[in-house]
Amino acid sequence: MPLIETSDGPDWRRRTTKQEFMIWFGWLIGTAIVVYAFHLISEKTIWFFVQDAGTQAMDIGTRMVPPKISYMDKLWLPVWDTLNIATLGTVIALIIAVPVAFAAARNTTPHPIIRATALLVIVSSRSVNSLIWALMLVFIFGPGVLAGTIAIGLRSIGFCAKLLYEAIEEIDHTQVEAIEATGASRAQQILFGIVPQVLPTFAGVGVFRWDINIRESTILGLVGAGGIGLQLNGSINTLAWTQVSMILLVIFVTVLISEWVSAKVRHAII
Amino acid sequence: MLRLEGLRKQYRTGDLALKGVDLEVPDSQVMALIGPSGAGKSTLIRCVNRLVEPTDGKVYLGDLELTSLSRFALRKARRRMGMIFQEYALVERLTVMENVLSGRLGYVGFWRSWFRKFPKEDVREAYRLLDRVGLMDMADKRADELSGGQRQRVGICRALIQNPELLLVDEPTASLDPKTSRQIMRLINELCAERGLAAIINIHDVMLAQMFSQRIVGLELGAIVYDGPPDQLTPEVLTRIYGEEDWEATIGKDEDAEDEDETVPVAAQVLTGEAAS
Amino acid sequence: MTEQVNPVYPTTWKRPPLISSATLRWSIILGAAIYLALALGTMDVKWSRVAEGLPRGQRFLDAFFPPNFADNRGVVWDGIQESIWMAVIATVAGIMMSIPIGLGAARNLAPKWVYLSCRAIVAGSRTFPEVILAIFAVKLFGFGPFAGFIALSIGTIGFFAKLLAEDIENMSAAQAEAVKATGANWFQWVNYAIQPQVMPRMIGLSVYRLDINFRESAVVGIVGGGGIGATLNTAFDRYEFDTAAAILLIIIGIVLVLEYASGYLRKWVQ
């Protein structure tokens, strides 16, 4: 924070002229990018539809109430499927994520090449959305819960392994050193020195991801991978709006419950 | 029993932590290693059991040369050296019992340790040690529920259950209050006497070092600048180790050891310092 | 000193179980086992279908070696650009809308009715995955990137406003009080006491959200929201696996770049 000599004595400013200039320049570039982006998007937009959106929204909105409660009979099974996709997917992911995380953590990896491979697995798993995984897996396994479960699993490996290996790298090293000093083997050092330290993180990450997976598995049905998304897609396509609102309501409640459960469990662990 | 020959350690940053240290610690001698922070005390201790790999020099434990050992042979050699840490270094989320039993990891196989199925004698010995340090009732507590002094006692048990010939003790009192510090030092001393153990104790509290050791070695900038009995520590010696300061008040005299109960340094009861080298 | 001559010590020791009540412990284990069995039962794997699908999976994997960047280059490039710009303006617009909502959703700043209505907005936009938002946006605004932009912006609000509100609620009360004590008005107070405390984290989070928005832009296309997702979906529909593989690799690459950029920026801000 510089003092600048002016004709009427020193003047305090927050930044120097150069800093100020750089900041304005940054804003300029940023604004230009946004304007350019908006220009490109608007070129591909039919503005007539956008102007019409208000009336459309009103129209759909009025058709959505009241939600068709009786449709619930047909929703129990899809909800159960959604829950299973999320839970089993998380279990699969955790089973695979643990060895991947130990291979990826700098202080437990057996070899730099293995570490690089593990990091590659993590990145690819994280970058591809579960819906895209599902799209591919439906091609292989056919439509159904199996494709969805594996999709959720594949997507979650990267997420869980990343958080886990970061936790492994951040452990208190002296505890491991103390175990090492007793003459313990490398495997025993991990078992006694590292595992107890990361176990709570492991549980927390699992529950956290499970919560996210509940949300994600509600949409997998859109590409045929099972769960409540299948009904959602069908109802929208047949313009059955009261069913759509009922499904949205069910999703909302399910997500709220899973969020509550996950918060409770994480609180209990930590 | 333990002999260091020209032990040198240069860290990757280029810092020369040990400049060719020669040192011999005979059987059942409790030796205090004093010196300012950064003098290389911790490095020296860690070079003995190769938690830090020495750059150059030899370490003999009895007849065994440690620096050239394979990983497997090193693990076997480490079982003979118990280590006690600053800040205790207990695995905080394990129970006290598991922490003590972890001292036996060098002796049991992986799956036994996985299922926590330690041999009967080990468990009995663990209970015996816990009883000896007054923590019999704490066995099932988690380590992070204990107070500082209690944790250090668990640390001591973990080192002793290895049945070592040598104790490497790194600043055992650094995070303890003065009273607990004395109790811990006394305990270490008693246990060494009971079992005829040799020990190297890193400590920066000169008074404690004098009270509880038979021999004092002063380290400064990676080199030994004093080696002798505790009662010959003079202000001149301390100035050589730590630099200029008024040392008169620091040096412990027998008459001002003001602890209420028994004040005679345990070390003095065992042996009087036999200065070697 | 205890005077026991030969105290008898136990020779076995068992780790105390995590859940001390045996009934509760066993009912949890049993419950988990029953659930797992039931859930696995719903998987109903059609092995004939899987056997049929595996060669397809093989073909898909083969398509990665090498992926086909050459054919459809124009379409892919267009889709990528559309996704990037969509993500950029959705992030900017979403954050601009999140700031008032986030301030309103902070308990220590806003009056009760503002707090409750802002929290409701946040909860609503957080529950539904971007894809569901996109389905409705497409219904309202027509096919194309504008719908995707709207869906991603709403998703951004749910994410960003929540974190902003939580950050404000957790900030140091002492600093806020000190500025208030100088007699600053509400806007000055927000500017001097709150902004400096939450700003660094918010900058990091906005890059993180840009990263998420880009990833999500790849899926809103599947339901008609424009961007690379639409291109990917077309490639799958036409069985052009080599192009699909190329698109996936490009997505992974861009996500990697964004991740490094956000890590770098976060370090630079703090």
Side-chain angles (χ1 to χ4, degrees):
Chain A
M1 297 195 185
L3 281 173
I4 291 155
E5 288 294 338
T6 61
S7 48
D8 21 298
D11 179 22
W12 181 84
R13 281 194 220 162
R14 192 162 167 204
R15 301 184 175 92
T16 60
T17 318
K18 195 177 164 206
Q19 281 173 324
E20 205 124 289
F21 179 75
M22 290 298 284
I23 285 170
W24 278 112
F25 189 69
W27 276 107
L28 191 71
I29 299 266
T31 318
I33 289 176
V34 172
V35 169
Y36 174 69
F38 191 77
H39 171 71
L40 277 187
I41 302 287
S42 80
E43 265 186 357
K44 296 187 180 174
T45 307
I46 302 163
W47 285 101
F48 172 72
F49 283 141
V50 176
Q51 282 159 12
D52 194 34
T55 32
Q56 284 279 342
M58 283 301 288
D59 185 37
I60 294 178
T62 46
R63 288 191 210 190
M64 272 175 136
V65 280
K68 190 175 165 190
I69 308 281
S70 60
Y71 190 55
M72 198 58 215
D73 292 345
K74 289 195 179 134
L75 288 181
W76 289 113
L77 190 65
V79 169
W80 168 244
D81 278 346
T82 307
L83 186 71
N84 290 341
I85 292 174
T87 312
L88 293 179
T90 312
V91 172
I92 294 174
L94 283 177
I95 291 171
I96 301 175
V98 170
V100 173
F102 277 100
R106 210 170 276 121
N107 48 349
T108 52
T109 185
H111 194 275
I113 293 178
I114 296 178
R115 174 171 147 83
T117 319
L119 289 176
L120 187 72
V121 169
I122 292 175
V123 169
S124 349
S125 152
R126 272 162 50 75
S127 309
V128 180
N129 199 291
S130 49
L131 198 63
I132 297 179
W133 281 118
L135 197 66
M136 295 191 273
L137 290 164
V138 167
F139 265 95
I140 298 172
F141 297 114
V145 180
L146 179 67
T149 308
I150 297 178
I152 289 286
L154 287 176
R155 169 69 178 87
S156 310
I157 291 172
F159 180 93
C160 298
K162 178 165 193 269
L163 291 179
L164 208 55
Y165 96 74
E166 284 170 354
I168 296 174
E169 285 184 350
E170 279 164 20
I171 53 160
D172 174 10
H173 185 66
T174 56
Q175 297 182 23
V176 189
E177 207 179 30
I179 301 290
E180 188 183 355
T182 65
S185 68
R186 193 78 194 105
Q188 286 173 326
Q189 287 168 33
I190 290 176
L191 183 67
F192 269 74
I194 297 179
V195 170
Q197 291 194 56
V198 297
L199 214 53
T201 318
F202 175 75
V205 166
V207 177
F208 183 37
R209 187 65 214 183
W210 175 78
D211 178 20
I212 298 177
N213 281 346
I214 291 274
R215 216 173 292 219
E216 298 217 330
S217 55
T218 57
I219 56 168
L220 296 178
L222 296 177
V223 295
I228 199 166
L230 214 61
Q231 275 66 27
L232 182 66
N233 204 23
S235 302
I236 290 176
N237 287 341
T238 54
L239 305 178
W241 294 110
T242 50
Q243 290 182 20
V244 172
S245 56
M246 189 61 212
I247 292 170
L248 291 183
L249 199 66
V250 168
I251 292 179
F252 189 77
V253 172
T254 315
V255 169
L256 274 190
I257 293 176
S258 76
E259 208 162 75
W260 181 81
V261 169
S262 136
K264 277 278 165 220
V265 173
R266 264 185 294 164
H267 192 76
I269 295 168
I270 306 158
Chain B
M1 120 118 289
L2 179 75
R3 199 165 79 247
L4 312 183
E5 281 179 9
L7 195 66
R8 233 166 54 81
K9 172 65 189 176
Q10 183 159 27
Y11 283 104
R12 236 175 289 166
T13 51
D15 300 322
L16 197 57
L18 295 175
K19 304 172 180 165
V21 172
D22 295 304
L23 183 70
E24 201 170 323
V25 185
D27 277 328
S28 62
Q29 182 188 66
V30 175
M31 186 202 96
L33 191 61
I34 63 172
S37 316
K41 304 191 298 283
S42 251
T43 307
L44 188 144
I45 263 194
R46 284 176 161 73
C47 278
V48 172
N49 63 1
R50 281 173 61 190
L51 286 178
V52 169
E53 287 292 339
T55 315
D56 207 3
K58 299 244 180 290
V59 178
Y60 291 94
L61 181 66
D63 295 329
L64 188 65
E65 206 286 300
L66 300 180
T67 59
S68 58
L69 291 182
S70 69
R71 287 212 71 77
F72 181 73
L74 173 65
R75 280 180 44 205
K76 285 190 122 175
R78 275 178 178 158
R79 305 192 305 205
R80 301 165 55 193
M81 300 176 280
M83 189 156 175
I84 296 168
F85 290 80
Q86 182 179 4
E87 312 271 353
Y88 336 118
L90 299 183
V91 182
E92 298 195 345
R93 300 193 66 95
L94 291 183
T95 56
V96 166
M97 193 50 150
E98 282 167 301
N99 269 294
V100 175
L101 286 172
S102 70
R104 298 300 292 179
L105 285 176
Y107 296 88
V108 301
F110 178 76
W111 292 109
R112 283 197 98 148
S113 50
W114 172 281
F115 291 110
R116 310 292 196 261
K117 284 263 178 263
F118 287 85
K120 282 192 165 72
E121 316 81 73
D122 290 1
V123 177
R124 189 190 295 125
E125 177 66 7
Y127 274 116
R128 208 182 63 73
L129 284 167
L130 282 175
D131 196 20
R132 171 67 184 80
V133 302
L135 292 177
M136 190 63 177
D137 304 330
M138 300 291 183
D140 286 347
K141 283 243 164 58
R142 238 169 59 174
D144 53 7
E145 293 173 47
L146 303 187
S147 71
Q150 291 174 324
R151 289 188 204 195
Q152 195 55 290
R153 285 161 207 260
V154 177
I156 292 170
C157 290
R158 174 173 64 190
L160 288 179
I161 202 173
Q162 283 178 239
N163 206 5
E165 300 153 42
L166 171 71
L167 278 186
L168 303 169
V169 189
D170 190 15
E171 300 280 6
T173 61
S175 26
L176 299 175
D177 64 65
K179 181 166 181 222
T180 320
S181 295
R182 286 181 177 217
Q183 292 171 338
I184 289 292
M185 284 301 286
R186 181 172 302 120
L187 181 65
I188 292 176
N189 240 298
E190 286 172 6
L191 288 164
C192 285
E194 279 169 22
R195 300 168 163 241
L197 286 179
I200 301 181
I201 305 180
N202 273 355
I203 188 156
H204 59 227
D205 187 323
V206 177
M207 198 122 82
L208 280 178
Q210 281 181 297
M211 281 175 72
F212 294 107
S213 65
Q214 301 149 17
R215 173 184 170 197
I216 288 189
V217 169
L219 204 62
E220 211 257 330
L221 289 175
I224 293 179
V225 292
Y226 173 81
D227 185 350
D231 50 16
Q232 282 176 24
L233 268 187
T234 56
E236 294 74 56
V237 170
L238 286 175
T239 303
R240 216 181 323 144
I241 301 173
Y242 289 96
E244 204 63 60
E245 182 51 70
D246 175 18
W247 295 111
E248 286 297 342
T250 312
I251 294 171
K253 303 170 187 84
D254 277 342
E255 51 271 23
D256 72 17
E258 76 292 355
D259 223 8
E260 321 80 60
D261 27 66
E262 8 88 86
T263 44
V264 189
V266 181
Q269 302 172 331
V270 185
L271 283 169
T272 21
E274 30 179 325
S277 85
Chain C
M1 281 275 152
T2 40
E3 281 304 314
Q4 287 162 295
V5 190
N6 250 334
V8 184
Y9 296 105
T11 54
T12 53
W13 175 82
K14 261 208 158 96
R15 192 191 155 89
L18 195 63
I19 303 159
S20 45
S21 147
T23 359
L24 183 64
R25 186 166 71 243
W26 282 106
S27 43
I28 286 178
I29 293 173
L30 199 69
I34 291 175
Y35 169 77
L36 216 61
L38 284 178
L40 285 172
T42 61
M43 282 293 114
D44 76 304
V45 185
K46 296 186 195 67
W47 291 109
S48 57
R49 179 64 184 77
V50 174
E52 190 187 314
L54 282 179
R56 283 203 214 176
Q58 185 59 45
R59 265 208 296 144
F60 185 67
L61 277 183
D62 286 343
F64 275 93
F65 308 100
N68 186 343
F69 289 99
D71 297 348
N72 305 315
R73 193 164 51 190
V75 192
V76 171
W77 177 235
D78 274 355
I80 295 278
Q81 268 190 316
E82 213 172 279
S83 266
I84 292 176
W85 298 129
M86 196 158 86
V88 167
I89 57 168
T91 310
V92 171
I95 289 174
M96 288 200 310
M97 286 184 279
S98 313
I99 290 170
I101 296 176
L103 288 175
R107 203 176 313 133
N108 49 352
L109 281 191
K112 187 110 186 176
W113 64 274
V114 177
Y115 168 73
L116 286 178
S117 41
C118 286
R119 279 283 161 176
I121 297 176
V122 170
S125 48
R126 262 174 63 75
T127 312
F128 297 109
E130 279 79 354
V131 177
I132 293 186
L133 298 173
I135 293 176
F136 284 91
V138 168
K139 286 277 170 214
L140 296 180
F141 301 104
F143 286 93
F146 192 81
F149 155 65
I150 296 288
L152 294 183
S153 306
I154 296 175
T156 306
I157 293 175
F159 172 87
F160 209 84
K162 175 166 187 276
L163 291 173
L164 179 63
E166 275 169 8
D167 239 32
I168 294 174
E169 283 172 1
N170 292 337
M171 72 180 180
S172 140
Q175 290 182 37
E177 249 173 23
V179 176
K180 209 165 205 178
T182 64
N185 68 26
W186 194 83
F187 281 101
Q188 287 169 328
W189 179 51
V190 169
N191 184 220
Y192 276 79
I194 294 172
Q195 197 190 341
Q197 289 196 55
V198 299
M199 205 54 182
R201 184 146 175 262
M202 289 301 125
I203 291 178
L205 280 177
S206 45
V207 184
Y208 179 49
R209 185 63 214 191
L210 180 66
D211 178 9
I212 297 180
N213 276 348
F214 177 76
R215 263 181 263 192
E216 290 292 330
S217 79
V219 290
V220 295
I222 295 177
V223 295
I228 189 71
T231 324
L232 185 65
N233 204 17
T234 319
F236 271 112
D237 283 346
R238 292 189 190 154
Y239 293 88
E240 288 171 349
F241 288 150
D242 46 358
T243 303
I247 294 174
L248 286 178
L249 288 177
I250 292 173
I251 292 177
I252 293 176
I254 293 178
V255 168
L256 258 186
V257 170
L258 279 174
E259 207 154 275
Y260 270 104
S262 81
Y264 183 78
L265 192 79
R266 253 179 285 181
K267 239 180 246 158
W268 183 73
V269 167
Q270 273 153 14

